[in-house]
Amino acid sequence: MTLGAVLFDVDGVLLDSTETHRRVWGAWAGLRGLDASAVWPLTFGRRPEDMVRLTAPELDPSQERLVLDQLLDQQQDAFPAVHGAVELLLALPLDAWAIVTSGDRGSVHARFAAAGLPLPRVQVYGSDVVQAKPAPECCLKAAAALGLEPSACLVVEDAPAGVAAGKAAGCRVAGFTSTHHGDDLRPADLFFDTHADTAAYLEAAGLLSTGPSA
């Protein structure tokens, strides 16, 4: 397979946001009388509105999104870069990667700036698609914007919904084991435990001239 580009998820892959989001969803579940332990595992890779529809269909998703945004704002700058992510992205040509996330543009831009992460030319957000992950639309949109067939793209995902989206799009998928065990990320084609693994793979594929430091 000739690899043309990488499609990165954001939360859990480039930004270390797991504990922050756990606190936010736990607080929201408490406000709505829901079991936080049942809500949390369903959040990965899904838009907040889709999570509300899934866990509390009697509530208005748009209104609950406002509540979630307020809870998230209270967390301030709790979104550091995943170890090795800055060096990895700086070593990639801007047209050789994209971000594909269920998050929103404004929040991602602010968090990337705070974490020192560069932004690629191609960015696909939850608001850019009709059907979010696990549907393939986000990955198909990113591949098209890069001028590539999905089969020439590697999706790097930490969540089952994102893995499903990449596979449904016809991309090769790497499960990034920051938030889930490898067994939870099947049918991913391969697995990265750290971005040293990601860099080694991309260097072997010819996308990196030299790997970033581990």
Side-chain angles (χ1 to χ4, degrees):
M1 180 199 71
T2 300
L3 182 61
V6 190
L7 313 183
F8 290 102
D9 180 37
V10 170
D11 291 309
V13 174
L14 300 178
L15 289 175
D16 186 2
S17 54
T18 302
E19 291 308 313
T20 299
H21 280 130
R22 187 194 296 271
R23 290 193 296 271
V24 167
W25 282 107
W28 177 80
L31 289 172
R32 299 300 178 248
L34 301 171
D35 181 357
S37 65
V39 169
W40 171 243
L42 302 174
T43 63
F44 291 92
R46 289 189 168 95
R47 294 180 294 192
E49 294 89 344
D50 294 332
M51 268 300 301
V52 173
R53 295 185 185 99
L54 182 64
T55 59
E58 73 280 5
L59 299 177
D60 182 344
S62 61
Q63 290 301 312
E64 296 308 303
R65 174 61 186 263
L66 295 176
V67 174
L68 285 160
D69 285 346
Q70 290 172 352
L71 292 170
L72 198 55
D73 287 343
Q74 295 171 13
Q75 300 297 315
Q76 299 180 345
D77 298 329
F79 300 91
V82 170
H83 180 68
V86 173
E87 297 85 353
L88 175 66
L89 298 186
L90 290 174
L92 280 168
L94 284 178
D95 284 339
W97 63 287
I99 54 173
V100 180
T101 175
S102 297
D104 69 276
R105 184 179 302 269
S107 296
V108 170
H109 279 211
R111 292 167 192 164
F112 268 46
L117 289 165
L119 283 163
R121 178 178 63 84
V122 174
Q123 306 163 33
V124 179
Y125 298 93
S127 59
D128 295 327
V129 298
V130 176
Q131 292 185 306
K133 303 172 186 179
E137 184 181 351
C138 53
C139 296
L140 294 172
K141 194 178 186 75
L146 288 163
L148 296 170
E149 292 295 323
S151 60
C153 297
L154 175 71
V155 171
V156 182
E157 269 282 358
D158 72 310
V163 170
K167 293 297 291 184
C171 301
R172 189 167 174 82
V173 178
F176 193 75
T177 59
S178 60
T179 61
H180 291 78
H181 295 296
D183 285 345
D184 298 324
L185 298 175
R186 299 191 186 281
D189 300 290
L190 65 158
F191 300 92
F192 301 147
D193 293 328
T194 69
H195 280 312
D197 299 333
T198 313
Y201 182 87
L202 297 182
E203 187 173 0
L207 284 188
L208 287 179
S209 56
T210 57
S213 57

